[in-house]
Amino acid sequence: MNITKKDIDSLNAVVTVEISKEDYSEKVNTILTNYRKNANIPGFRKGHVPMGMVKKQYGTAVLVEEVNKLLQEALHKFLTEEKLDVLGNPLPKNETEIDWKAEDFTFEFDLGLAPQFDVDVKGRKAVTQYKIVADEKMLNNQVKTIRKQYGKLIAKDAVEKGDEITGTFTSEEKEISQKTTFSTEEIKGKKQLTALLGAKVGDTVSLKTKGLFNDDHDNQKYLGVSHDDAHGLDIEVTLTIEEVNAREMAELNQELFDKLFGPGVVSSEKELKEKIKEDAEKQFEQQSDQKLLNDIVESLIENTKFDLPDAFLERWIQVSGEKPLSEEAAKEEYARSEKGLRYQLIEGKIRAENNLQVTMDELKDYAKDMIKVQMAQFGQANPSEEELDGIAARILSNEDEVKRIGEQLNTNKLLNFFKENAKLKTKEVTYDAFIKEAYA
């Protein structure tokens, strides 16, 4: 057997595999001999079927199977030993030209080669790292929400400002029939609010949906329409009022603080706000980190220039799925996936050059840290190492869990690497400002 590689250019090559009769004949003959021993053919005793008949009936099929096995093994070994960094899989170049009646065979495969490139993680332009802070307005709103949530409901006959209304929205046009509860504070339209104020239990009120709520997404929440219909919904609905309640807000006292955070953790409104701020900003950090990761990825893709074997990859996409694609469909699919492929190559290079692979010990330690946090939430603050090891071992025996935890840890390692090495500029913003600026 002989294998050679011819470079077409820096991104494309052809591998030629030459297989001679000596490479496969012994194996093929052994298989055919076994077939002869076990074949049941009318007119012949078992084991006495003429070899010529066996070869005629099974020879080509056995030959094709064994040669293909040899071919795949040889190709895999060649790519591994030559350390060729290929994209996709080798594509047969001359499979329709193979004459299986011959004794010697020559197979050709097109290869798409990974490009050579450098990654400048630091970059020229700094990426914004948002530090999201909980401002006084947010803290006051959170305190108000808590007081409402733990307050008392007082039934009323008629609607006043600040009341909660339970009723059913209906519309034949959009086939709406949705029972819901909302506060008058969520009503944005002045005309709609005027129509509601003074309405009594049992009344039916007609309301325009345009500008009805503070946010168009509330149309989805309260009217039960789809996400697409929620935006800019402009119809008339009727609301049949079934309940009206005023919510008497809970007092900010020790009983409430203990109910929220446990005995003695918080003992004043000031400490309550500090706790809310601390918890909120921990959650905000996750959103900020995700935004930072997304922005660095976009920056790396934009600023890391290299060519790809486009024609090869389009062909590979065309034939590699469960069902072959048309040439046009393969081009469209490649256009959609090219960006992701580019980042996959960039990320792979960053991980390889900076030793960012996840080890089993790191996976186990990460799982144990997650377990500690979960156990603390249920009042188990100091689990033993033996207990943690046992739980971690059970979790890591599940392949899906290993994959999930591994992906989390991989992302964290990459994010920490970027925080330490990328060029960043910190910007402190409120949560509302972050949403407007980051996702406008």
Side-chain angles (χ1 to χ4, degrees):
M1 185 183 302
N2 185 42
I3 305 180
T4 56
K5 178 174 77 76
K6 179 182 178 182
D7 290 328
I8 306 303
D9 53 40
S10 61
L11 297 174
N12 295 275
V14 175
V15 169
T16 301
V17 183
E18 296 173 341
I19 297 178
S20 64
K21 184 177 181 179
E22 290 76 15
D23 297 318
Y24 64 81
S25 59
E26 185 178 344
K27 182 69 173 174
V28 169
N29 286 334
T30 300
I31 293 172
L32 291 175
T33 300
N34 288 332
Y35 275 22
R36 181 172 181 253
K37 289 177 182 178
N38 299 300
N40 287 311
I41 296 178
F44 297 94
R45 285 184 297 152
K46 188 175 181 180
H48 291 271
V49 179
M51 179 57 82
M53 185 174 288
V54 172
K55 286 184 177 180
K56 185 176 181 181
Q57 188 165 349
Y58 302 108
T60 302
V62 172
L63 172 68
V64 171
E65 184 177 355
E66 291 308 311
V67 168
N68 274 320
K69 281 182 185 177
L70 271 175
L71 181 61
Q72 295 306 318
E73 289 169 5
L75 194 56
H76 175 74
K77 184 179 178 183
F78 178 78
L79 296 179
T80 303
E81 289 179 350
E82 295 294 317
K83 297 179 181 178
L84 294 177
D85 193 0
V86 299
L87 302 179
N89 294 313
L91 293 178
K93 186 178 174 69
N94 67 329
E95 60 181 342
T96 59
E97 301 170 8
I98 302 300
D99 178 9
W100 291 104
K101 292 179 181 179
E103 294 186 342
D104 300 331
F105 307 101
T106 300
F107 300 89
E108 293 181 336
F109 293 87
D110 285 327
L111 299 184
L113 305 176
Q116 298 296 314
F117 59 92
D118 295 317
V119 181
D120 181 10
V121 174
K122 190 168 288 293
R124 296 179 182 178
K125 187 178 179 182
V127 176
T128 300
Q129 181 178 18
Y130 290 95
K131 178 177 173 54
I132 309 170
V133 296
D135 60 351
E136 195 64 25
K137 178 184 175 184
M138 172 177 277
L139 296 178
N140 288 336
N141 285 338
Q142 284 294 99
V143 171
K144 185 178 179 181
T145 299
I146 289 170
R147 292 184 66 192
K148 280 186 174 183
Q149 184 180 346
Y150 288 88
K152 296 178 182 177
L153 285 178
I154 301 170
K156 298 176 64 176
D157 293 325
V159 179
E160 294 182 282
K161 273 190 177 180
D163 287 347
E164 293 180 6
I165 302 170
T166 297
T168 300
F169 282 106
T170 57
S171 164
E172 289 187 10
E173 182 181 347
K174 285 290 182 180
E175 298 182 347
I176 296 170
S177 180
Q178 179 86 355
K179 184 171 181 177
T180 190
T181 299
F182 62 94
S183 168
T184 57
E185 293 179 351
E186 294 170 277
I187 299 299
K188 177 182 179 181
K190 291 181 180 179
K191 289 183 179 179
Q192 292 97 320
L193 182 60
T194 300
L196 287 170
L197 295 179
K200 297 179 180 179
V201 174
D203 286 354
T204 297
V205 181
S206 293
L207 301 167
K208 290 281 189 183
T209 59
K210 187 175 182 180
L212 175 59
F213 295 108
N214 292 323
D215 188 329
D216 273 358
H217 287 99
D218 289 338
N219 289 327
Q220 188 178 5
K221 180 179 177 182
Y222 296 124
L223 302 180
V225 297
S226 68
H227 181 271
D228 291 340
D229 283 342
H231 289 276
L233 185 66
D234 187 7
I235 61 171
E236 190 168 295
V237 294
T238 59
L239 172 67
T240 301
I241 300 173
E242 297 162 24
E243 288 182 36
V244 177
N245 293 290
R247 191 174 282 273
E248 184 181 274
M249 293 207 290
E251 290 184 28
L252 291 176
N253 54 28
Q254 196 61 47
E255 181 183 356
L256 177 61
F257 299 148
D258 291 348
K259 191 181 291 185
L260 290 169
F261 303 107
V265 176
V266 168
S267 57
S268 66
E269 182 177 355
K270 180 183 177 184
E271 290 180 5
L272 172 63
K273 286 185 176 181
E274 288 172 353
K275 190 75 170 69
I276 293 171
K277 182 178 177 69
E278 178 187 347
D279 292 345
E281 289 181 354
K282 279 182 183 177
Q283 294 182 4
F284 295 158
E285 189 175 345
Q286 294 176 4
Q287 289 180 268
S288 174
D289 282 348
Q290 187 59 58
K291 174 63 176 168
L292 176 64
L293 185 60
N294 292 344
D295 288 347
I296 290 176
V297 166
E298 289 295 326
S299 176
L300 286 170
I301 293 171
E302 183 179 347
N303 296 303
T304 307
K305 305 296 184 184
F306 54 82
D307 292 327
L308 289 170
D310 301 317
F312 171 86
L313 290 170
E314 286 172 6
R315 274 184 60 212
W316 176 67
I317 288 173
Q318 188 175 358
V319 300
S320 61
E322 288 185 14
K323 294 182 178 179
L325 300 177
S326 67
E327 187 175 334
E328 184 180 352
K331 284 181 180 293
E332 290 173 357
E333 180 59 31
Y334 177 60
R336 286 191 292 269
S337 59
E338 182 189 356
K339 197 173 183 180
L341 174 59
R342 286 182 176 278
Y343 180 66
Q344 190 177 341
L345 291 169
I346 293 168
E347 182 184 329
K349 192 173 183 68
I350 291 172
R351 288 190 183 279
E353 291 181 350
N354 298 280
N355 195 28
L356 296 181
Q357 291 79 10
V358 172
T359 66
M360 197 61 199
D361 285 341
E362 288 174 326
L363 204 62
K364 184 178 178 182
D365 289 341
Y366 187 74
K368 286 164 70 174
D369 288 341
M370 290 174 61
I371 294 163
K372 283 181 187 177
V373 171
Q374 291 172 356
M375 293 180 77
Q377 292 174 348
F378 293 96
Q380 295 175 271
N382 296 301
S384 67
E385 278 299 309
E386 185 179 353
E387 190 176 7
L388 288 171
D389 285 337
I391 298 172
R394 286 197 299 274
I395 290 173
L396 296 177
S397 67
N398 184 311
E399 287 186 18
D400 291 338
E401 282 298 299
V402 171
K403 183 180 178 182
R404 183 181 66 82
I405 295 171
E407 286 173 351
Q408 290 179 9
L409 183 53
N410 263 314
T411 299
N412 289 348
K413 289 188 80 167
L414 194 63
L415 179 64
N416 290 332
F417 173 79
F418 287 148
K419 284 182 176 180
E420 292 171 7
N421 294 278
K423 188 175 183 180
L424 306 177
K425 58 179 180 182
T426 302
K427 184 171 185 178
E428 189 171 293
V429 292
T430 65
Y431 182 73
D432 287 343
F434 171 74
I435 294 299
K436 286 179 182 177
E437 186 171 329
Y439 300 102

